[in-house]
Amino acid sequence: MKTTNKKQDAANNKAKNFGGTVKRLLGFFAPYKKQLVAVLVFALLGTLFLIIGPKVLGEATNTIFAGVASAAEGNEAGAGIDFVRLSKILASLVVIYGLSALFTYMQQRVTARVAQRTVFDLREAVDHKIQRLPLNYFDTHTHGDILSRTTTDIERISATIQQSMTQLITAVFTIIGIIVMMFSISWQMTLIALLVLPAALFLSSMVVRKSQKYYIGQQNKLGSVNSYVEEMYSGHNIIKLYNTEQRTENEFDEMNDALYEDARRSQFASSILMPITNLVGNVGYVGICVLGGIMTSNGTLTVGAIQAFIQYMQQFTQPIVQTSNIINLLQSTVAAAERVFELLDEEEQEPENKELKTLEDIKGEITFDHVRFGYTPDRILISDMNVHVSPGHKVAIVGPTGAGKTTLVNLLMRFYELNSGSIQVDGIDIRDISRKNLRQQFGMVLQETWLYSGTIRDNIRYGRPEATDEEVYEACRMANVDSFIRTLPGGYDMVINEEGSNISQGQKQLLTIARAFCARPQVLILDEATSSVDTRTEKLIQDAMDKLTQGRTSFMIAHRLSTIKDADIILVMKDGDIIEQGSHDELMAQNGFYTGLYNSQFA
């Protein structure tokens, strides 16, 4: 078992397409070509003035050295120094380094703007993608993993672009400029210095190849840890109830250890990059000092030239070290980008027809015509469903767990597409209607309530943001919740917390009914939601739902069969198919499956 897990981890950690991912990430910079050109110009100018400085400073050294030598010959210390020329050189240095700082500042400012706009576009692309993903993507991926891809991974990309873009561009220009300046001083010493570059790059590339899989593994395991934490914290009451704290801790420790191991290995790889680069650089530095001393002693080079070359050598090593660090940082960034691009490459929901019809003021006539559906082609859940619902009728859907009750509703809302057959609203195939327009006709009150962190007023008008305050109040009166809201601190402006724990389950259910009233839907989908509330609240909810369904076509997923006796039609489902349909009295008279279900609840 452990061997199998190790093989799976190795497969998951393997780098997929480093170059392709980098190329695709760079594609997000395409809209900002002008700004990138400005970045390159500012970087070039800033680097140019920076690398001129040591050579000018060498002239100052030569001036001082010549003056000291002259004074030594005349026994008058300092008498030979040309202070006028020296002051002009130093003044020019101030200007040179000042211009370098100015252009570097401009480069960083434009880079920050480009980087943040690029990440903004990436976030926007991810958000738009999520809106186009089919429901089964969220059924097959944990919330923590999706959250990790859309937040943690994008933040890592953002940090890298912001920090590394300026350093990388400056490092490249600096290396090129310094090589030119070193050649202008001594080609022999420059050749020694250039031996550093291929050696450092070769050793760095070896480390990169070894460490890439650990960075990918680190990002994948981080997503798993985030997913686990989200699941466990959301169910912490159940964990304490069943005394599984220790087991939960052990499971977390295993996942955390796996994350630690990949993070440790990736960070170890990053930590040896700089020592390797420094070692190679110091070897080259020693060679230059020896050769420079020989050339100075025989008069081939001046002291100022040696001083300038040594300063260039120090500056030459720094961008190589920076490049090594950037390469190291790119490992985790590319791993994060791969995970984001995997999300962007997910198959989207089926595209809609170009010529779509618009539903307005529908009557609510619903027809299922030879509907066939399965979540996978080899697992058909509904084989041949035929149902006709007249406008304004109440339709109850009953059956054992897994019978397909929720699936039927999901098909009606086009959360999933049919394998064959059709569903029609007022005689129009729902595939000929935009998903947005179709769902505007529906209101949903589900057993699992959903309210977001915001005011009660905003939660109620969520389905129709343009609703006036008076319409919100009227919806709450119809839902039997207005008087309760007015007793709360802040009333309609009270903020519901993130988990909605500052109001009861029954109160949340009444608020979702008020939200449905406010949205003014023509068709309702109701999941009986009175099983976890007290008798008084249950009566309020049932009364509110009765008022909500008046004059509207409604589909009720029923758990308590006693609540659907007045339904116009009851659909009895089993194994994905409707095996019986009719009114309560008609089904009881048949003495079939429904009769058994009904009697079992009152036995």
Side-chain angles (χ1 to χ4, degrees):
M1 183 67 179
K2 290 183 179 179
T3 304
T4 303
N5 290 339
K6 287 181 179 179
K7 289 180 179 178
Q8 290 175 346
D9 287 343
N12 291 335
N13 294 346
K14 186 177 180 181
K16 296 176 182 177
N17 186 359
F18 185 92
T21 302
V22 171
K23 183 177 180 181
R24 185 171 178 181
L25 188 59
L26 292 176
F28 279 87
F29 290 92
Y32 309 104
K33 292 179 180 178
K34 292 182 180 179
Q35 292 91 327
L36 288 174
V37 170
V39 169
L40 292 175
V41 171
F42 290 140
L44 180 61
L45 292 173
T47 304
L48 179 64
F49 284 110
L50 183 66
I51 62 178
I52 289 175
K55 196 158 189 178
V56 176
L57 187 59
E59 292 297 320
T61 302
N62 286 335
T63 301
I64 296 172
F65 185 79
V68 171
S70 175
E73 292 176 0
N75 295 321
E76 296 179 12
I81 298 178
D82 187 348
F83 286 102
V84 175
R85 184 170 187 273
L86 183 62
S87 61
K88 290 180 179 179
I89 293 173
L90 295 178
S92 65
L93 275 175
V94 172
V95 174
I96 287 170
Y97 284 124
L99 289 173
S100 176
L102 174 64
F103 287 121
T104 301
Y105 164 76
M106 295 299 295
Q107 176 202 359
Q108 291 176 343
R109 180 165 181 169
V110 178
T111 300
R113 187 178 304 169
V114 172
Q116 291 307 313
R117 286 300 307 179
T118 301
V119 175
F120 172 85
D121 293 342
L122 184 59
R123 285 197 185 100
E124 199 168 54
V126 169
D127 179 66
H128 291 168
K129 180 70 178 187
I130 288 176
Q131 305 305 323
R132 298 192 300 269
L133 288 173
L135 192 64
N136 64 352
Y137 177 83
F138 301 96
D139 292 339
T140 54
H141 291 74
T142 63
H143 293 168
D145 180 64
I146 297 172
L147 186 65
S148 180
R149 292 173 191 263
T150 55
T151 55
T152 307
D153 291 335
I154 291 182
E155 280 304 313
R156 183 173 291 276
I157 295 170
S158 173
T160 300
I161 293 176
Q162 181 71 49
Q163 296 171 12
S164 303
M165 184 186 293
T166 301
Q167 293 180 1
L168 185 60
I169 294 173
T170 302
V172 171
F173 282 141
T174 300
I175 291 172
I176 296 173
I178 287 176
I179 290 174
V180 172
M181 297 302 292
M182 288 195 300
F183 265 115
S184 69
I185 296 173
S186 169
W187 65 267
Q188 296 96 330
M189 290 194 299
T190 303
L191 290 179
I192 295 177
L194 288 179
L195 292 176
V196 174
L197 188 59
L201 292 178
F202 173 73
L203 293 173
S204 298
S205 65
M206 289 181 62
V207 174
V208 166
R209 286 197 299 268
K210 288 285 186 182
S211 62
Q212 176 64 12
K213 64 179 182 180
Y214 298 123
Y215 280 102
I216 294 177
Q218 179 183 351
Q219 291 305 115
N220 288 333
K221 289 180 175 62
L222 180 60
S224 299
V225 168
N226 287 341
S227 176
Y228 187 80
V229 169
E230 194 225 4
E231 289 177 356
M232 293 304 104
Y233 282 174
S234 63
H236 64 276
N237 290 338
I238 304 300
I239 292 173
K240 292 186 178 298
L241 173 65
Y242 288 104
N243 298 313
T244 58
E245 294 98 328
Q246 189 59 51
R247 188 175 73 191
T248 302
E249 286 184 14
N250 292 340
E251 291 173 351
F252 177 81
D253 287 342
E254 289 181 8
M255 301 175 71
N256 199 27
D257 286 342
L259 173 60
Y260 161 77
E261 191 61 28
D262 274 353
R264 181 188 65 80
R265 292 180 178 182
S266 63
Q267 292 307 310
F268 171 75
S270 68
S271 65
I272 65 175
L273 274 175
M274 185 176 289
I276 288 175
T277 308
N278 285 336
L279 174 62
V280 176
N282 288 334
V283 171
Y285 186 74
V286 170
I288 286 170
C289 289
V290 172
L291 180 60
I294 295 172
M295 297 180 73
T296 304
S297 63
N298 61 26
T300 307
L301 287 179
T302 63
V303 174
I306 293 295
Q307 175 260 318
F309 197 94
I310 291 175
Q311 192 171 351
Y312 281 131
M313 184 60 188
Q314 291 174 335
Q315 291 181 349
F316 184 61
T317 305
Q318 183 181 1
I320 295 176
V321 173
Q322 284 183 341
T323 304
S324 300
N325 290 334
I326 293 169
I327 292 173
N328 165 50
L329 189 59
L330 280 175
Q331 306 306 301
S332 58
T333 303
V334 171
E338 280 188 345
R339 285 166 46 80
V340 174
F341 292 146
E342 283 175 0
L343 173 63
L344 291 176
D345 291 337
E346 285 289 339
E347 186 177 350
E348 298 181 5
Q349 59 189 356
E350 186 177 320
E352 299 179 326
N353 298 327
K354 294 182 179 180
E355 297 181 2
L356 297 173
K357 300 175 183 178
T358 302
L359 293 177
E360 293 181 2
D361 300 324
I362 65 171
K363 296 180 294 182
E365 181 181 8
I366 310 291
T367 303
F368 292 78
D369 185 16
H370 295 288
V371 169
R372 180 181 175 84
F373 171 76
Y375 289 104
T376 58
D378 57 341
R379 181 172 164 264
I380 298 300
L381 181 62
I382 298 175
S383 57
D384 187 22
M385 178 182 289
N386 294 278
V387 177
H388 178 77
V389 180
S390 300
H393 276 199
K394 294 181 181 180
V395 181
I397 309 169
V398 303
T401 301
K405 302 186 294 295
T406 303
T407 300
L408 186 148
V409 169
N410 286 337
L411 295 177
L412 184 61
M413 300 284 289
R414 280 195 74 188
F415 290 148
Y416 294 94
E417 298 296 336
L418 306 178
N419 290 52
S420 63
S422 66
I423 300 175
Q424 300 164 18
V425 176
D426 284 3
I428 303 174
D429 193 319
I430 60 174
R431 286 169 294 196
D432 296 329
I433 309 165
S434 71
R435 293 183 180 92
K436 179 179 180 181
N437 180 235
L438 174 67
R439 292 165 188 168
Q440 284 175 338
Q441 315 305 318
F442 288 84
M444 298 184 74
V445 179
L446 303 179
Q447 189 169 11
E448 295 182 2
T449 57
W450 179 81
L451 298 171
Y452 69 95
S453 180
T455 65
I456 290 177
R457 188 192 313 274
D458 290 339
N459 269 279
I460 292 170
R461 58 158 60 108
Y462 183 77
R464 194 163 66 92
E466 70 276 9
T468 65
D469 286 345
E470 187 53 44
E471 288 172 332
V472 170
Y473 303 149
E474 177 61 24
C476 291
R477 284 192 287 268
M478 295 294 291
N480 300 324
V481 75
D482 176 70
S483 58
F484 155 71
I485 293 174
R486 295 186 184 278
T487 64
L488 296 172
Y492 281 87
D493 294 316
M494 189 190 93
V495 176
I496 299 174
N497 63 24
E498 186 175 353
E499 296 180 352
S501 58
N502 53 346
I503 56 177
S504 71
Q505 179 63 33
Q507 292 159 351
K508 285 194 286 187
Q509 196 61 256
L510 289 170
L511 289 177
T512 61
I513 296 173
R515 182 168 61 195
F517 266 115
C518 188
R520 298 177 179 176
Q522 299 301 313
V523 183
L524 289 169
I525 296 173
L526 309 172
D527 189 343
E528 190 175 61
T530 59
S531 57
S532 59
V533 298
D534 60 85
T535 305
R536 181 176 179 276
T537 305
E538 178 181 356
K539 187 177 183 305
L540 289 174
I541 293 174
Q542 195 61 54
D543 178 64
M545 292 176 75
D546 288 341
K547 288 189 286 187
L548 182 61
T549 57
Q550 287 179 6
R552 295 183 172 97
T553 303
S554 55
F555 292 82
M556 300 176 290
I557 299 176
H559 307 286
R560 296 184 183 183
L561 302 187
S562 60
T563 63
I564 59 167
K565 289 183 178 180
D566 62 340
D568 295 292
I569 181 173
I570 299 173
L571 306 178
V572 184
M573 299 192 68
K574 183 182 179 183
D575 299 328
D577 289 318
I578 297 174
I579 58 173
E580 296 175 2
Q581 58 178 297
S583 66
H584 172 75
D585 292 336
E586 290 170 348
L587 294 174
M588 290 299 290
Q590 292 177 16
N591 197 28
F593 189 79
Y594 176 82
T595 304
L597 280 178
Y598 186 84
N599 290 335
S600 68
Q601 292 193 4
F602 298 94

